[in-house]
Amino acid sequence: LQLWAKSPFAFTRQTSRTYRDAFLSQHADWPCVPPPDVVTHCVDWDDVKVGKLLGPTFEHQGLHFSLVLSDAAEVIDVGDNDACGTGHALRIEDGNLVALWIVFPEPVHTVELCIDGAFLAARAYANGVLVENVPTPEPGSLGFQASGIDCIVLWTSDNCQVASICYQTEA
C-alpha cells in the first residue's frame, strides 16, 4: 500500500501490469465486498409458560416491551395456530385503551407481526417519526417496511393477541 497515492496500485505505474492484473483476477469484486446475508429474527412466546403475566415493561428474546395504561399481559395457549405457526401468544386484555410498545435492539427495515383480535391501530416509528400507520389491522399477518424502524405501537381496547414478531435489521 502506498500512502498519498491516487490508488493502492500507484506503485505499479513503474512496473508491469502483471501484479495488478493477477490481483484483480483473484479479487474481481474489489474494492467492494459482498453484502451480508439477510437474517430474519423471529420472536414468539412458545418458550414461556402458559398463564405467566408479563408487564408493564419486560424484555423477551432481545425485544423490549412496554404496556401503557395496563399492568400486565398474559401468555396464553392458542393450540396449533396454523396462521402463525405458534402454540402460545401474548394476550392484552384490559377493557380500556391500551398501547403495546415493541422496541427493537437496533433499527430494522422489515417487520412482520402475526396478530389476532380487534386492534385499533398499528404504527411504526423511526427515530420518533411515524413512518407507517395501519388503522384497524386485520387478524393474521401484518407487515411494515421502512428504513430505520425502531419501534412498533399496537393500540387495542380488549382481548388482542400477538403470536409472533419477525424482523430484519437495517444492517
Side-chain angles (χ1 to χ4, degrees):
L1 178 64
Q2 185 177 359
L3 298 176
W4 304 106
K6 290 183 180 181
S7 89
F9 296 110
F11 71 93
T12 62
R13 282 185 285 159
Q14 282 101 27
T15 63
S16 71
R17 293 183 47 169
T18 307
Y19 176 79
R20 179 176 48 191
D21 292 344
F23 179 86
L24 292 175
S25 70
Q26 296 297 317
H27 303 88
D29 56 356
W30 184 87
C32 300
V33 295
D37 293 333
V38 176
V39 177
T40 300
H41 305 276
C42 288
V43 173
D44 61 33
W45 309 98
D46 288 345
D47 62 341
V48 180
K49 184 179 176 184
V50 172
K52 181 169 183 170
L53 294 176
L54 303 169
T57 61
F58 58 94
E59 183 179 340
H60 181 66
Q61 295 180 0
L63 299 182
H64 295 277
F65 296 85
S66 182
L67 288 162
V68 178
L69 303 175
S70 180
D71 292 333
E74 180 183 9
V75 176
I76 62 167
D77 183 11
V78 291
D80 252 350
N81 189 340
D82 291 335
C84 300
T86 63
H88 298 166
L90 182 69
R91 181 174 64 192
I92 307 160
E93 185 175 322
D94 195 296
N96 298 315
L97 182 64
V98 176
L100 173 64
W101 287 78
I102 303 166
V103 181
F104 299 98
E106 60 182 292
V108 301
H109 68 80
T110 303
V111 180
E112 186 174 330
L113 299 119
C114 192
I115 60 173
D116 195 12
F119 282 94
L120 302 174
R123 298 179 178 146
Y125 291 89
N127 204 21
V129 176
L130 178 66
V131 293
E132 201 166 340
N133 181 36
V134 179
T136 60
E138 294 291 323
S141 182
L142 170 64
F144 295 99
Q145 192 163 17
S147 182
I149 296 172
D150 51 17
C151 67
I152 302 283
V153 182
L154 300 172
W155 290 93
T156 181
S157 61
D158 195 25
N159 199 21
C160 289
Q161 302 170 13
V162 178
S164 65
I165 305 159
C166 294
Y167 62 94
Q168 295 174 348
T169 62
E170 191 76 20

